[in-house]
Amino acid sequence: MGTESTPAAGRPAAKRQFRIWRGDESGGELRDYAVEVNEGEVVLDVIHRLQATDAPDLACRWNCKAGKCGSCSMEINGMPKLGCMTRMSTFEEGETVTVTPLRTFPVIRDLVTDVSFNYEKARETPAFAPPPGVAPGDYRMQQVDVERSQEFRKCIECFLCQTVCHVVRDHEENKQAFAGPRYFIRAAELDMHPLDTKPDRKEYAQAEQGLGFCNITKCCTEVCPEHIKITDNGIIPMKERVVDRRYDPLVWLGSKIFRRGQVPQTSVTSGHSSDAVHASAAHGGVHSHAGGSHDPQAEAQAQGGVNWHREVPRPTSPAVDEHGKLPLTELTFDRPAAPSPFGDDVTFPLPPEHLNFAHPDQDKH
């Protein structure tokens, strides 16, 4: 009865060396503690024992103690981890375990940090935009689409990926322009959602969330307790779609000439009257490359992607100038998608009347 022992091993509990950061926003220091550790315990168990014995004023967040709430995020031997999921058996018996608060966020006291940065970024992220006319509860989508983004919904918002990301960990000045891995996968999830009607998730991630700052070192993936492939399945696909849209010369040029639903058609392909185009434009219609018939009903179907019997316009050559040169313009986009070949003195968007999508002599050949 005199010696406490563990039921599983039948041996006395051992004292282990811990080094805990103590302090607040004004400063602090690492303090050494010798704490009793039983077999099967995790770091959070030891923190609780320390609070019950030598350091009753030690501040530490925790809630579920089951790896599902993300509250007990801390840095253990320099690695961001969950205290409740880090077993003491993973350390050598004579090893000193150092526990510090998340380095990227301001310290409140001891192991508690101010993670409000993440909630501010959450509020800035546009919410799911449901299709018009569909009531909540009536949304329907294929199981394959559910599974595609389900991985990202496993996030418990422990913010370990946020604190390990060196873009803000080493550069405080980047926080205003950088949302971080947790909100990149939120943007990716909504971009993959078949019912989300907000079309510019990729553009928003690039322009507002700072997607371009990420250089895919995969640190966020390594520390994720839910084993979400943040980089491979979320960030990299988003970056690829942004790059395709902006910098791939073929995709870029094609999107400029045949931008679905965005580019007003100001000259017509052969066999159609320009009056039909202007009449459609007067009704607020915008022609897509798919809607070659210039019929309002067919065009509406083409915009929705269901006009399987549409008239497809014959391929046309892009317009050339009097010297036979092809002037690459940004057409009607509100800003250059890449460095402009005309220099910095060209303003965008170009007036629609200055655009010509058809070769001027195409009907002579």
Side-chain angles (χ1 to χ4, degrees):
M1 297 293 293
T3 303
E4 183 181 348
S5 61
T6 60
R11 62 185 183 186
K15 290 273 190 177
R16 301 287 293 273
Q17 291 298 316
F18 272 74
R19 185 166 293 159
I20 314 290
W21 195 90
R22 303 297 307 275
D24 53 28
E25 67 275 8
S26 62
E29 62 181 0
L30 288 169
R31 297 183 188 175
D32 291 324
Y33 299 93
V35 193
E36 185 180 281
V37 176
N38 297 310
E39 186 170 349
E41 290 187 329
V42 296
V43 170
L44 186 59
D45 291 324
V46 178
I47 296 295
H48 287 166
R49 182 171 291 114
L50 189 59
Q51 289 174 322
T53 56
D54 296 342
D57 60 340
L58 173 61
C60 174
R61 279 199 185 104
W62 72 284
N63 188 14
C64 73
K65 203 172 178 289
K68 292 302 177 185
C69 73
S71 300
C72 61
S73 300
M74 56 188 70
E75 298 197 6
I76 302 172
N77 286 356
M79 178 67 73
K81 295 181 179 181
L82 293 179
C84 69
M85 298 298 289
T86 306
R87 294 196 171 275
M88 289 301 302
S89 59
T90 60
F91 305 106
E92 298 293 335
E93 287 193 7
E95 182 178 359
T96 298
V97 180
T98 302
V99 183
T100 56
L102 299 179
R103 198 184 90 181
T104 302
F105 307 119
V107 172
I108 297 177
R109 186 161 71 88
D110 298 337
L111 302 180
V112 178
T113 55
D114 180 2
V115 294
S116 58
F117 160 81
N118 302 286
Y119 300 112
E120 292 170 4
K121 295 302 178 183
R123 284 193 293 267
E124 293 173 5
T125 302
F128 169 71
V134 181
D138 292 337
Y139 302 154
R140 297 293 182 268
M141 52 193 292
Q142 297 290 331
Q143 183 62 32
V144 65
D145 292 320
V146 175
E147 294 169 354
R148 188 181 182 200
S149 60
Q150 186 65 30
E151 175 187 16
F152 304 134
R153 300 191 68 85
K154 290 163 42 180
C155 174
I156 61 175
E157 295 201 324
C158 60
F159 305 129
L160 296 183
C161 63
Q162 298 285 86
T163 191
V164 79
C165 182
H166 62 275
V167 176
V168 289
R169 187 180 180 90
D170 299 328
H171 302 279
E172 181 74 19
E173 67 276 10
N174 288 339
K175 283 187 175 180
Q176 184 175 358
F178 187 75
R182 192 275 171 268
Y183 300 104
F184 292 155
I185 65 171
R186 175 62 174 161
E189 173 202 339
L190 292 173
D191 192 49
M192 296 175 184
H193 201 299
L195 298 180
D196 182 62
T197 58
K198 188 170 177 55
D200 59 344
R201 297 286 180 189
K202 297 178 288 293
E203 293 295 329
Y204 180 84
Q206 175 70 15
E208 303 295 334
Q209 292 185 303
L211 182 65
F213 281 95
C214 173
N215 58 5
I216 55 176
T217 57
K218 300 190 179 183
C219 303
C220 50
T221 301
E222 290 181 8
V223 301
C224 179
E226 287 294 320
H227 308 291
I228 302 172
K229 293 181 172 59
I230 298 172
T231 313
D232 291 336
N233 293 351
I235 296 177
I236 290 178
M238 285 289 284
K239 290 173 78 74
E240 287 174 344
R241 290 195 285 273
V242 169
V243 168
D244 283 347
R245 177 74 177 270
R246 287 172 170 261
Y247 302 113
D248 185 288
L250 295 178
V251 175
W252 176 82
L253 182 58
S255 68
K256 298 307 176 185
I257 297 178
F258 304 120
R259 177 166 302 191
R260 184 184 179 105
Q262 296 183 29
V263 179
Q265 188 163 341
T266 56
S267 66
V268 298
T269 56
S270 62
H272 298 292
S273 168
S274 61
D275 295 337
V277 180
H278 295 303
S280 178
H283 288 87
V286 178
H287 287 286
S288 71
H289 179 45
S293 65
H294 301 287
D295 176 70
Q297 183 177 0
E299 180 63 18
Q301 291 178 330
Q303 293 290 341
V306 296
N307 184 13
W308 304 113
H309 304 289
R310 64 183 180 270
E311 176 188 347
V312 179
R314 70 177 189 172
T316 61
S317 302
V320 296
D321 59 20
E322 59 183 357
H323 303 293
K325 301 295 184 181
L326 174 65
L328 298 179
T329 70
E330 303 293 342
L331 300 186
T332 59
F333 202 42
D334 60 352
R335 61 183 181 278
S340 172
F342 297 102
D344 297 330
D345 56 342
V346 178
T347 58
F348 301 92
L350 295 177
E353 60 269 16
H354 291 178
L355 305 178
N356 185 358
F357 302 153
H359 193 287
D361 298 325
Q362 68 176 21
D363 293 330
K364 297 180 181 179
H365 301 289

